[in-house]
Amino acid sequence: MVAHSKIIRILPALAVNQDGGCVVTDPEGSTAVANTSTVSKDGGGGGGASADAEHDPYFELVVSLPEIQVKTNEEEEDEMVRLRCKLFPYNTLETPAEWKERGTAAHVKILKHSKKKTVRVLMRRDKTLKIRANHYITPFVELKPNCGSDRAWVWSVPADLADEEPKQELFAVRFANAQSKSHFCRSLYGVEN
C-alpha cells in the first residue's frame, strides 16, 4: 500500500493550457510549460519538408549472423514424387476412435536414398517444416482405396517416425484430384516392384 502511494506521488500531473501547450506539475508543486511552437497541426516538426528530405533512416548492424546450412537428411535422397495432399492419421487414443487431420495441406514426397536404395514417404508442413509422416516403404505397405472417395488412399505402417519414436500408424491421404491419387499409387508400386 505504501509503495503504491509513493509511485502516485512521484508521477507528475499533465494538463493542457489555453494556448494548446502542455503544463507539467511535479509532486513538489513546481510547474513547467512545454514548448510546442515548432509542432505543426499534422504532428510533424516545425522544419517542414526539408527536414523530411534530410532524414536518412539507416542503422548500422549491431550483430552480424553467419548463414547456417540446415541439414534435413534429404541431401542424399532423390525426390521421386512430390504431390500436394492432406494427411489423416487414425487416432485410437480417443473414444470413439476417429480420423484426425494432421496440419494443413502439404506436399507428400517419396524419396529414394542414392546409396542405400531405401525408399521412404516424407511429409512436412509448409511453413514450419514440421514432419507429419516419415516411414519406409516396405512390402507390408498396401494402399487401399478409401470408401466413398475417388481421391483418397488408406495404408498402415508398422513404424512411423514423425514423432521421433517408432509408432504403428494407419494413414489416410486425400489428394486434390483423382489424377494425383493414381500418380501416387503408380509411383509407390513402381518402387516396390
Side-chain angles (χ1 to χ4, degrees), residues 7 37 52 79 131 139:
I7 292 173
S37 62
D52 291 338
E79 185 176 291
I131 296 175

Side-chain angles (χ1 to χ4, degrees), residues 5-133:
S5 63
K6 286 183 182 179
I7 292 173
I8 293 172
R9 281 189 284 145
I10 293 172
L11 295 176
L14 296 173
V16 178
N17 64 12
Q18 294 174 349
D19 300 331
C22 294
V23 178
V24 179
T25 306
D26 64 4
E28 285 80 31
S30 60
T31 61
V33 178
N35 183 7
T36 59
S37 62
T38 60
V39 178
S40 65
K41 297 283 184 192
D42 62 354
S50 64
D52 291 338
E54 295 174 11
H55 179 67
D56 183 22
Y58 175 75
F59 297 99
E60 291 286 332
L61 293 176
V62 177
V63 177
S64 62
L65 299 175
E67 190 171 323
I68 298 173
Q69 296 293 329
V70 178
K71 188 174 180 181
T72 62
N73 293 329
E74 298 176 39
E75 290 80 17
E76 296 180 1
E77 295 175 317
D78 299 324
E79 185 176 291
M80 301 177 72
V81 175
R82 179 186 176 109
L83 296 168
R84 192 147 181 89
C85 65
K86 283 191 177 185
L87 184 71
F88 300 89
Y90 193 67
N91 188 358
T92 56
L93 298 176
E94 293 186 13
T95 314
E98 61 184 352
W99 294 102
K100 288 284 191 178
E101 184 176 345
R102 207 178 248 186
T104 57
H107 289 98
V108 65
K109 298 187 263 186
I110 298 178
L111 303 169
K112 184 174 185 178
H113 198 278
S114 58
K115 295 177 185 172
K116 299 177 187 175
K117 303 298 181 198
T118 56
V119 180
R120 68 178 174 140
V121 173
L122 179 69
M123 182 175 183
R124 294 180 186 267
R125 290 183 72 174
D126 282 339
K127 295 179 182 175
T128 62
L129 300 179
K130 186 174 180 180
I131 296 175
R132 298 282 108 212

Side-chain angles (χ1 to χ4, degrees), residues 81-88 101 104-110 121-123 133 135 137 143-146 148-155 171-189:
V81 175
R82 179 186 176 109
L83 296 168
R84 192 147 181 89
C85 65
K86 283 191 177 185
L87 184 71
F88 300 89
E101 184 176 345
T104 57
H107 289 98
V108 65
K109 298 187 263 186
I110 298 178
V121 173
L122 179 69
M123 182 175 183
H135 55 271
I137 297 176
L143 289 181
K144 297 178 183 174
N146 190 8
S149 177
D150 64 338
R151 308 179 296 153
W153 288 114
V154 177
W155 74 92
F171 288 116
V173 63
R174 187 178 66 214
F175 295 97
N177 51 41
Q179 291 84 10
S180 295
K181 175 190 171 188
S182 62
H183 183 60
F184 183 78
C185 179
R186 283 192 310 269
S187 302
L188 188 69
Y189 286 118

